[in-house]
């Protein structure tokens, strides 16, 4: 909160009695938007090569990074592939799901609040 000293003569909405006052201005702090994790889920049918391709194409990962994440998905059942704002996470999930469906793979991609 900041305080500003002003003369009552400067205030057009007040009678000019020669006094001074203090005007308080409140400034709200902007909060960062919440972030969302994008996750790839394991299934028994989607080829590993397809998962690597998805990770490279939609998440900008190198082949080595994509391969490591694909192995994590395969071994642990899921992996976080990125953390984004809501709109970006939602778009990435939709793109991956559409791409998998068009290639007839049951690959699942979801998002959850961090």
């Amino acid at each position: 909160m900041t305080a500003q000293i002003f003369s009552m003569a400067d205030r057009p909405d007040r009678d000019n009695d020669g006094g001074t006052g203090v005007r308080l201005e409140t400034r709200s702090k902007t909060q960062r938007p919440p972030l969302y994790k994008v996750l790839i889920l394991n299934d028994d049918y989607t080829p590993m090569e397809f998962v690597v391709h998805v990770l490279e194409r939609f998440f900008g990962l190198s082949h080595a990074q994509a391969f490591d994440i694909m192995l994590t998905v395969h071994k642990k059942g899921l992996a976080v592939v990125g953390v984004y704002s809501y709109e970006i996470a939602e778009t990435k999930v939709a793109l991956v799901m559409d791409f998998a469906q068009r290639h007839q793979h049951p690959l699942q991609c979801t998002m959850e609040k961090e």
Side-chain angles (χ1 to χ4, degrees):
M1 191 179 322
T2 61
Q4 180 180 8
I5 298 176
F6 62 91
S7 166
M8 292 303 279
D10 296 337
R11 298 278 312 264
D13 60 333
R14 300 281 181 187
D15 293 332
N16 190 1
D17 63 1
T20 59
V22 176
R23 176 174 46 191
L24 299 177
E25 295 177 7
T26 59
R27 292 185 185 160
S28 61
K29 290 187 177 183
T30 56
Q31 292 182 340
R32 289 208 155 139
L35 296 177
Y36 290 80
K37 298 184 283 190
V38 175
L39 304 121
I40 297 284
L41 307 176
N42 189 42
D43 65 73
D44 294 332
Y45 303 102
T46 304
M48 292 179 179
E49 297 82 17
F50 183 79
V51 176
V52 170
H53 178 70
V54 164
L55 293 170
E56 292 171 343
R57 179 173 177 163
F58 296 105
F59 298 95
L61 300 175
S62 69
H63 185 76
Q65 291 169 322
F67 190 82
D68 287 345
I69 290 176
M70 177 275 299
L71 285 178
T72 301
V73 171
H74 182 69
K75 292 176 183 176
K76 295 187 176 181
L78 62 93
V80 175
V81 294
V83 180
Y84 307 96
S85 67
Y86 180 83
E87 292 80 10
I88 293 173
E90 182 179 49
T91 300
K92 290 202 180 272
V93 168
L95 289 170
V96 169
M97 294 297 292
D98 181 60
F99 189 72
Q101 187 176 19
R102 283 189 286 127
H103 288 84
Q104 300 178 345
H105 294 299
L107 181 66
Q108 293 295 303
C109 183
T110 62
M111 61 188 262
E112 65 182 39
K113 198 169 191 175
E114 187 175 47

